[in-house]
């Protein structure tokens, strides 16, 4: 871990600019209608904090924490809810905010659960997208950046809980 090498992929300025653009698009699409923003813990917390501060409609915030069964770095598709939402979503416009869509298995599960609660609309906003690794047909409605198949950290994303606080995104090259 001491020899981790970080290579900057997205600078703080680039992220800031893109998050503003996304928020403008979302604000326009919902045309002033209230929005329930659901952050997926923990990875989405920084992106969500920046995103919601740029939204123009009335916003309510809630969080979900889900965890994949199994030990591998790749999600197994079997997901359990560690923390559920506190507010009902029936009849509401819901925006799921996620750090990164990789295989898409986590989001596929979350979407299937939330759909059963009959929201008025359900959309996904992902900070990053790695479409090359997709195992599902999940497509984020809003996406910050499409990135190559590299393991990245920073701006909420971690490696074994480290690096979430980096203000930029880096490719992590682990050396042993
Ligand atoms: P999925 O179910 O395979 O789409 O997994 C998505 C989750 O895997 C994300 O919410 C992240 O927690 C984690 N993840 C996937 N790729 C990366 C990465 O490059 N860096 C850090 N976490 C990642
Ligand atoms: Mg995550």
């Amino acid at each position: 871990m001491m020899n981790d090498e970080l290579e900057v992929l997205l600078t703080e300025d680039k992220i800031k600019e893109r998050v503003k653009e996304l928020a403008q698009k979302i604000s326009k699409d919902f045309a002033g209608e209230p929005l329930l923003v659901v952050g997926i813990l923990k990875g989405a917390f920084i992106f969500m904090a920046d995103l919601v501060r740029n939204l123009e409609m009335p916003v309510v915030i809630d969080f979900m924490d889900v965890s994949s069964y199994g030990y591998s770095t790749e999600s197994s598709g079997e997901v359990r809810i560690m923390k559920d939402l506190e507010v009902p979503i029936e009849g509401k416009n819901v925006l799921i905010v996620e750090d990164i869509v990789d295989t898409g298995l986590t989001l596929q599960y979350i979407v299937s659960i939330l759909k059963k609660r009959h929201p008025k609309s359900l959309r996904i906003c992902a900070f990053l997208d790695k479409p090359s690794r997709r195992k599902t047909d999940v497509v984020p409605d809003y996406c910050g950046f499409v990135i190559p198949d590299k393991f990245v950290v920073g701006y909420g994303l971690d490696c074994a809980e480290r690096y979430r606080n980096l203000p930029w995104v880096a490719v992590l090259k682990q050396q042993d």
Side-chain angles (χ1 to χ4, degrees), residues 40 44 47 96-101 106-107 110 124-128:
I40 309 302
F47 173 49
I96 303 170
V97 177
E98 174 64 306
D99 53 358
I100 183 167
V101 193
T106 309
L107 270 175
I110 291 170
I124 297 168
C125 178
F127 173 54
L128 302 176

Side-chain angles (χ1 to χ4, degrees), residues 41-161:
L41 295 170
K42 302 175 198 168
F45 83 114
I46 290 181
F47 173 49
M48 176 159 161
D50 285 344
L51 186 77
V52 296
R53 278 180 287 182
N54 286 283
L55 291 176
E56 287 158 23
M57 69 282 265
V59 160
V60 170
I61 304 294
D62 206 348
F63 292 97
M64 263 180 113
D65 189 5
V66 296
S67 146
S68 300
Y69 283 108
Y71 56 87
S72 81
T73 51
E74 197 164 308
S75 56
S76 59
E78 284 183 74
V79 183
R80 73 190 141 145
I81 300 180
M82 308 299 288
K83 185 213 170 296
D84 204 342
L85 297 176
E86 288 171 8
V87 299
I89 67 169
E90 187 170 345
K92 295 180 185 162
N93 291 315
V94 176
L95 183 70
I96 303 170
V97 177
E98 174 64 306
D99 53 358
I100 183 167
V101 193
D102 189 28
T103 63
L105 289 163
T106 309
L107 270 175
Q108 186 180 54
Y109 178 76
I110 291 170
V111 165
S112 74
I113 291 176
L114 296 187
K115 264 191 181 158
K116 288 181 198 147
R117 300 181 189 175
H118 307 292
K120 180 179 177 191
S121 68
L122 186 60
R123 291 191 190 178
I124 297 168
C125 178
F127 173 54
L128 302 176
D129 189 3
K130 267 189 215 173
S132 56
R133 304 235 323 150
R134 201 74 93 251
K135 289 182 180 164
T136 60
D137 55 11
V138 169
V139 180
D141 301 278
Y142 306 96
C143 166
F145 301 92
V146 174
I147 62 163
D149 182 13
K150 300 264 169 66
F151 195 83
V152 295
V153 295
Y155 201 66
L157 291 110
D158 74 310
C159 176
E161 297 302 325

